[in-house]
């Protein structure tokens, strides 16, 4: 999926790249403040927010 953020994935991208998606969302550390998607790396989100408060 290159440098696409998870937020940019389209519906048909999900079944095609399910293996990648599983890795990205397995242990989410960030959540997108705009799209409510979660990921283990801020780079996958357009407006990353830390999931846990520190
Ligand atoms: Zn987003």
């Amino acid at each position: 999926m290159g440098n696409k953020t998870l937020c940019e994935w389209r519906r048909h991208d999900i079944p095609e790249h399910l293996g990648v998606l599983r890795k990205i969302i397995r242990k989410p550390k960030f959540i997108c403040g705009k799209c409510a998607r979660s990921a283990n790396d801020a780079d996958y989100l357009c407006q990353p927010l830390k999931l846990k408060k520190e």
Side-chain angles (χ1 to χ4, degrees):
M1 293 303 284
N3 295 324
K4 241 181 177 183
T5 64
L6 215 52
C7 305
E8 293 170 306
W9 283 39
R10 296 291 163 247
R11 196 169 296 173
H12 68 264
D13 292 329
I14 297 167
E16 271 177 45
H17 303 278
L18 198 56
V20 180
L21 186 62
R22 280 202 189 98
K23 283 177 195 162
I24 296 171
I25 64 169
R26 188 176 295 156
K27 288 177 180 173
K29 292 186 188 120
F30 297 89
I31 189 158
C32 181
K34 192 179 154 199
C35 320
R37 286 168 163 90
S38 57
N40 60 9
D41 196 303
D43 291 343
Y44 292 117
L45 305 168
C46 66
Q47 247 176 62
L49 300 171
K50 278 196 173 168
L51 201 52
K52 285 182 185 173
K53 286 183 183 174
E54 289 180 294

